[in-house]
Amino acid sequence: PRGWDIRAILRTGMLAPLRAAGIRPVLLTPKANEPAFQKEFADFDMEFYERHIPAGFEGTYRRTVNVLFSQKFPDHSLDFMARHFTDVEIAGHPMKRAYYATLRGAGRALPPLYGAIKKAERFIRADRRWGGLFKKWNPDAVITTPLFDWSDVPILKWAHKLRVPSASIVASWDNVSTKGAIAVRPDALTVWNEDMRHEAVATHGYRPERVAVTGVPPFTHWATGARMPRAEFLAKYGLDPAKKVIMYM
């Protein structure tokens, strides 16, 4: 669903073997209405996908789940992120801060609370808008990214509902260990390296055979594509080729 993720991944050519085998990929992305994206990937069928941002009850529920999930792993980066959310991000909202601080304490004192609250996921219905796309294209499989920012929740819900196999490409190196619970679990994951694979198994309960190490798809095209000569690149940005350059990302 997220535009920059799908652009970087498509540039790797990862879908070429599928197309060669007669499989028809369909892209669901917020970039589907952008002329530059349409031109670059004109060979693909595509549909506009409005990025899902949980609000109201769903937003509170998802943050509640994340805070409770973090308490299963004291002194883990997940716990640090929960503390940061409570103490910094919502510091100006006393009632919210009191709620999530109490929730952290309850999660530590009552470990089964997370599992009980997580079961409420079934009461959050799949967005009907995307059900029509499943009916239109009748997919044999669903692949999503980035997974941890909730933007692909509606698609994974419909995949589960219709029993369509699903996999998610984890977008970045720290997502498995710092971004909280997986709202709607895909059947399989792809990750950058063995450390992430271990985190997916130890933290999120995936079976090892359901997590594939594939390298770093978002950056592959930077390493394998045509490169501009150094002097030309630096001149483009007004930098002196005779001097050393330190780049901070």
Side-chain angles (χ1 to χ4, degrees):
R2 210 161 64 183
W4 68 266
D5 292 310
I6 194 172
R7 179 182 275 118
I9 289 168
L10 289 172
R11 286 171 177 165
T12 68
M14 64 169 284
L15 296 182
L18 300 180
R19 300 182 74 180
I23 298 172
R24 183 182 184 181
V26 179
L27 311 180
L28 273 64
T29 170
K31 299 294 183 181
N33 289 343
E34 294 188 6
F37 187 91
Q38 293 172 347
K39 182 178 179 180
E40 183 174 358
F41 304 108
D43 292 341
F44 291 93
D45 294 303
M46 62 180 74
E47 297 271 4
F48 175 75
Y49 180 84
E50 182 180 354
R51 185 179 173 190
H52 179 68
I53 301 175
F57 169 77
E58 184 187 357
T60 300
Y61 171 74
R62 301 229 175 275
R63 290 177 179 85
T64 295
V65 168
N66 271 358
V67 169
L68 289 175
F69 182 72
S70 72
Q71 300 314 295
K72 296 173 61 179
F73 307 96
D75 300 321
H76 189 281
S77 53
L78 286 166
D79 186 27
F80 170 79
M81 297 297 285
R83 293 200 305 270
H84 183 270
F85 173 69
T86 304
D87 299 339
V88 179
E89 293 183 40
I90 58 173
H93 303 273
M95 292 186 66
K96 287 184 178 180
R97 187 177 182 185
Y99 168 72
Y100 287 109
T102 301
L103 199 63
R104 287 182 59 225
R108 288 192 296 271
L110 300 168
L113 184 60
Y114 165 74
I117 296 296
K118 190 70 174 71
K119 290 180 180 178
E121 180 70 49
R122 71 187 72 175
F123 299 111
I124 299 178
R125 295 183 177 181
D127 191 323
R128 293 180 179 179
R129 290 177 297 171
W130 311 121
L133 289 180
F134 275 78
K135 185 176 181 179
K136 176 180 178 179
W137 295 105
N138 190 28
D140 296 294
V142 167
I143 301 173
T144 76
T145 193
L147 181 62
F148 282 94
D149 75 345
W150 302 323
S151 60
D152 43 7
V153 161
I155 298 301
L156 288 171
K157 274 188 171 290
W158 275 103
H160 278 236
K161 184 175 182 177
L162 300 176
R163 298 184 180 180
V164 178
S166 60
S168 287
I169 301 169
V170 178
S172 193
W173 64 275
D174 66 340
N175 286 186
V176 182
S177 57
T178 67
K179 301 303 183 185
I182 297 175
V184 181
R185 290 171 65 92
D187 298 318
L189 302 178
T190 70
V191 296
W192 292 15
N193 53 47
E194 288 293 342
D195 286 342
M196 291 175 67
R197 185 169 183 260
H198 171 75
E199 283 282 3
V201 173
T203 307
H204 297 281
Y206 272 90
R207 298 199 306 272
E209 64 271 19
R210 289 288 183 172
V211 185
V213 175
T214 59
V216 190
F219 302 127
T220 297
H221 69 284
W222 296 110
T224 59
R227 298 185 182 182
M228 186 183 296
R230 180 178 183 276
E232 182 182 345
F233 175 82
L234 294 179
K236 179 180 178 180
Y237 296 99
L239 301 173
D240 185 353
K243 295 182 178 179
K244 293 183 177 182
V245 178
I246 298 176
M247 183 173 68
Y248 175 78
M249 294 182 66

